[in-house]
Amino acid sequence: MGSAAGVAAGVVAGVTMKYTYDKYIQEQLHKQLKSIFDEVSRRHQKCLII
């Protein structure tokens, strides 16, 4: 019984870690894409002003 509970706890912990990691990667990617988009927008605005 104890080993089954240990396995279940391990599976829950693994799924939680994967979800947290995926969420972290998604947020980092979003920040990176947003900064690239902002930089392109600034350059485009400079071109329009000139």
Side-chain angles (χ1 to χ4, degrees), residues 1-35:
M1 187 69 181
S3 62
V7 168
V11 168
V12 169
V15 169
T16 303
M17 281 178 49
K18 177 160 177 27
Y19 173 78
T20 304
Y21 180 73
D22 287 347
K23 188 76 172 166
Y24 171 77
I25 292 298
Q26 185 179 16
E27 287 177 6
Q28 293 302 315
L29 185 62
H30 181 262
K31 286 178 185 176
Q32 194 171 23
L33 289 174
K34 185 176 181 333
S35 70

Side-chain angles (χ1 to χ4, degrees), residues 42-50:
R42 277 195 295 274
R43 288 183 183 178
H44 184 69
Q45 285 175 351
K46 277 185 187 175
C47 290
L48 289 176
I49 292 171
I50 295 172

